Amino acid sequence: MTYRKSQIDIAFNKIFKTMDIKELDIRKAGEGLRNKDFSSVELTKACFDRIKETDGKLKSFITLTQNVALQEAAKADERIQAGDSDMLLGIPASIKDVILTKNIITTAASNILKNYIPAEDATVIEKLDTAGMVMLGKVNCDAFAHGSSTENSDFFTSHNPWDLDRVPGGSSGGSASSVAGGQCFYSIGTDTGGSIRQPASFCGLTGLKPTYGRVSRYGIVSMTSSTDCPSIMAKTAADAAAVLQSIAGEDKKDSTTSSSPVDDYLGYMEKFDIKGLRIGIPKEYCIDGLNADIKKCVQDAATKLQELGAKVVEVSLPHTQYAVPTYYIITPSEVSSNLAKFDGIRFGYSAQSDPDTPVKDLMEVYMKSKGQGFGSEAKRRIMIGTYALSSGYYDAYYLKAQKVRALIKKDFDEAFGGVDMIIAPTAPSVAFKIGEHSDSPLEMYLGDIFLSAVSLSGLPAVSVPCGFVKPEDGKIAMPVGMQLIGKSFDEKTILSVANIYEKNSTWLSQKPAI
Ligand code: GLN
């Protein structure tokens, strides 16, 4: 497609003089594209300029795919010209590097896969390509998605756009820094135990983890196969709904996807009436470690939803305290089995385990494989998992954890007998400083206190900005998120409530200074 010079000047003025791409979300950028205020190629170039300007500080991207992106943008422009009006058409996005992209290096932020070029796209990528996504590149995360800060990436740590001394959260930290830093409009990450919700909370974004089985896992580097969920990092609930619409649905290549029909999320959102909606606040979530200012943000948000017409009541999730220990038995167990495929035949050298090798010997082999194999967090999980699954310990750890998992799920089933959704904090603190917890895996794990139960139960949840809190050791107030937790496959209700809350609060109007 060619443009007259005058058209280019107009577009240039709109994008660079009067329109700041940081201020655009999917909806506004889509309107600009359909009104021909600017083209997708121009929008894409503006994103790469922004990446050039900011990525030295944010370190969101592992791989940039500029040539492919500009080709996709040109194709999108042709489709727009022909009258195609898909919401995602021509909109630039980033993809977490655990999601397979055909012919484009996919590292899982790990040394093991640092040269891996997939022969196939993940199903989510295929679906987004159909919708007209422009992929700018692959973003950083904790290696194999193990972590809460991106500090476990084998390559580098990403930075929080609000305060560069702090983590963006994790494991989908590059997804969060790229969207919050205004480098792109949305990102696809994964949430296995909180990895979309927590970074969304740390970076002032809307992060949706769909129900397990709503979105295909085909082509995602597996971590905990029983809780892995491809998930969405966006600027608003309406944007997250538009992305979910494109990626949800049954997939013959993933037998755990559900055949239940996909709702019309945006249509439901438009007509949604919050009056009479019953919202539960779990009494067990008022733990000692929860920052008092964060607690107040969540309580104020609940009051706001009540003023808007919802009915807020207390609910009980009695097994909450067991969620983190249960998750950290089940996750390493599945991780140790999933990572067994990296045995040095097809992929990088990893000093891989033989399930019969005693844990003590394994430890020695792993520690010697420094620098070329798994990073320390992956090694830790392989060892814990191998231990928890080994004969003699299986009943005491893995089996017991699965029983507790059933009780945790039952808590939600009972609570949902009386309420339509549940509201809770996303994280007990705002984004912490880089290095603050990196010597203590246990402290890092405890940050998952409000996240693990939802993952173990397979439920949908969205983290929504609900205020700002200035940390004691910080210079500026950092974003706080709350979780709206829904019944299975009821993404439409939590997204609609998130949308109403966002429209009736001012948090989204604040942007990081970068
Ligand atoms: N903090 C969790 C963990 O380290 C999150 C993982 C995830 O959701 N990918 O396991």
Short mmCIF file of all heavy atoms in Angstrom, two decimals, residues 145-148 171 191-195 223 327-328 381 448, ligand 1:
data_model
loop_
_atom_site.label_atom_id
_atom_site.label_comp_id
_atom_site.label_asym_id
_atom_site.label_seq_id
_atom_site.Cartn_x
_atom_site.Cartn_y
_atom_site.Cartn_z
N ALA A 145 9.30 -19.84 33.13
CA ALA A 145 8.18 -19.23 33.88
C ALA A 145 8.20 -19.56 35.37
O ALA A 145 7.17 -19.46 36.04
CB ALA A 145 6.83 -19.59 33.25
N HIS A 146 9.37 -19.91 35.89
CA HIS A 146 9.49 -20.21 37.33
C HIS A 146 9.89 -18.94 38.07
O HIS A 146 11.08 -18.62 38.11
CB HIS A 146 10.60 -21.23 37.60
CG HIS A 146 10.47 -22.52 36.86
ND1 HIS A 146 11.51 -23.42 36.77
CD2 HIS A 146 9.43 -23.07 36.20
CE1 HIS A 146 11.11 -24.47 36.06
NE2 HIS A 146 9.86 -24.28 35.71
N GLY A 147 8.94 -18.26 38.66
CA GLY A 147 9.35 -17.11 39.46
C GLY A 147 8.32 -16.01 39.51
O GLY A 147 7.23 -16.12 38.95
N SER A 148 8.70 -14.91 40.18
CA SER A 148 7.76 -13.82 40.45
C SER A 148 8.38 -12.46 40.18
O SER A 148 7.88 -11.46 40.70
CB SER A 148 7.32 -13.87 41.91
OG SER A 148 6.93 -15.17 42.27
N SER A 171 5.97 -14.43 36.55
CA SER A 171 7.05 -14.57 35.59
C SER A 171 6.86 -13.75 34.31
O SER A 171 7.84 -13.46 33.63
CB SER A 171 7.22 -16.05 35.21
OG SER A 171 6.06 -16.54 34.59
N ASP A 191 -0.14 -17.77 32.97
CA ASP A 191 -0.36 -17.71 34.41
C ASP A 191 -0.56 -19.15 34.87
O ASP A 191 -1.57 -19.78 34.57
CB ASP A 191 -1.59 -16.84 34.71
CG ASP A 191 -1.80 -16.59 36.20
OD1 ASP A 191 -1.68 -17.56 36.97
OD2 ASP A 191 -2.11 -15.45 36.59
N THR A 192 0.47 -19.65 35.57
CA THR A 192 0.44 -21.02 36.07
C THR A 192 0.14 -20.99 37.57
O THR A 192 -0.55 -21.85 38.11
CB THR A 192 1.81 -21.68 35.80
OG1 THR A 192 1.99 -21.77 34.39
CG2 THR A 192 1.95 -23.05 36.43
N GLY A 193 0.67 -19.94 38.21
CA GLY A 193 0.44 -19.77 39.65
C GLY A 193 0.42 -18.28 39.99
O GLY A 193 0.80 -17.90 41.10
N GLY A 194 0.02 -17.45 39.03
CA GLY A 194 -0.09 -16.01 39.30
C GLY A 194 0.69 -15.12 38.36
O GLY A 194 0.69 -13.89 38.51
N SER A 195 1.34 -15.72 37.37
CA SER A 195 2.31 -14.97 36.56
C SER A 195 1.77 -13.90 35.64
O SER A 195 2.55 -13.17 35.04
CB SER A 195 3.15 -15.95 35.74
OG SER A 195 4.15 -16.48 36.55
N MET A 223 4.97 -25.94 32.02
CA MET A 223 5.55 -25.79 33.35
C MET A 223 4.79 -26.75 34.27
O MET A 223 5.21 -27.87 34.50
CB MET A 223 5.40 -24.34 33.81
CG MET A 223 5.90 -24.09 35.20
SD MET A 223 5.63 -22.38 35.67
CE MET A 223 5.88 -22.52 37.43
N TYR A 327 0.76 -25.76 46.31
CA TYR A 327 1.23 -25.37 44.97
C TYR A 327 2.71 -25.71 44.81
O TYR A 327 3.13 -26.20 43.75
CB TYR A 327 0.99 -23.86 44.77
CG TYR A 327 1.59 -23.32 43.50
CD1 TYR A 327 0.91 -23.38 42.29
CD2 TYR A 327 2.87 -22.75 43.50
CE1 TYR A 327 1.47 -22.90 41.12
CE2 TYR A 327 3.44 -22.27 42.34
CZ TYR A 327 2.74 -22.35 41.15
OH TYR A 327 3.32 -21.87 39.99
N TYR A 328 3.51 -25.47 45.86
CA TYR A 328 4.95 -25.70 45.74
C TYR A 328 5.37 -27.16 45.97
O TYR A 328 6.55 -27.47 46.05
CB TYR A 328 5.74 -24.70 46.61
CG TYR A 328 5.84 -23.36 45.87
CD1 TYR A 328 4.99 -22.30 46.17
CD2 TYR A 328 6.75 -23.19 44.82
CE1 TYR A 328 5.05 -21.10 45.46
CE2 TYR A 328 6.81 -22.00 44.12
CZ TYR A 328 5.97 -20.96 44.44
OH TYR A 328 6.04 -19.78 43.72
N ARG A 381 13.58 -26.74 41.52
CA ARG A 381 12.26 -27.35 41.31
C ARG A 381 12.39 -28.80 40.85
O ARG A 381 11.60 -29.65 41.25
CB ARG A 381 11.44 -26.50 40.33
CG ARG A 381 11.09 -25.16 40.96
CD ARG A 381 10.17 -24.30 40.14
NE ARG A 381 10.12 -22.97 40.75
CZ ARG A 381 9.07 -22.17 40.75
NH1 ARG A 381 7.97 -22.54 40.16
NH2 ARG A 381 9.11 -20.99 41.33
N ASP A 448 3.02 -15.43 46.76
CA ASP A 448 1.93 -16.03 45.96
C ASP A 448 0.69 -16.33 46.79
O ASP A 448 -0.25 -16.98 46.30
CB ASP A 448 2.39 -17.35 45.32
CG ASP A 448 3.51 -17.17 44.31
OD1 ASP A 448 3.85 -16.02 44.01
OD2 ASP A 448 4.04 -18.20 43.83
N1 GLN B 1 5.27 -17.45 41.34
C1 GLN B 1 4.81 -18.61 40.65
C2 GLN B 1 5.92 -19.62 40.54
O1 GLN B 1 7.06 -19.24 40.65
C3 GLN B 1 4.27 -18.19 39.33
C4 GLN B 1 4.56 -19.05 38.17
C5 GLN B 1 3.73 -18.82 36.97
O2 GLN B 1 2.55 -18.47 37.06
N2 GLN B 1 4.31 -19.07 35.82
O3 GLN B 1 5.68 -20.78 40.36
#
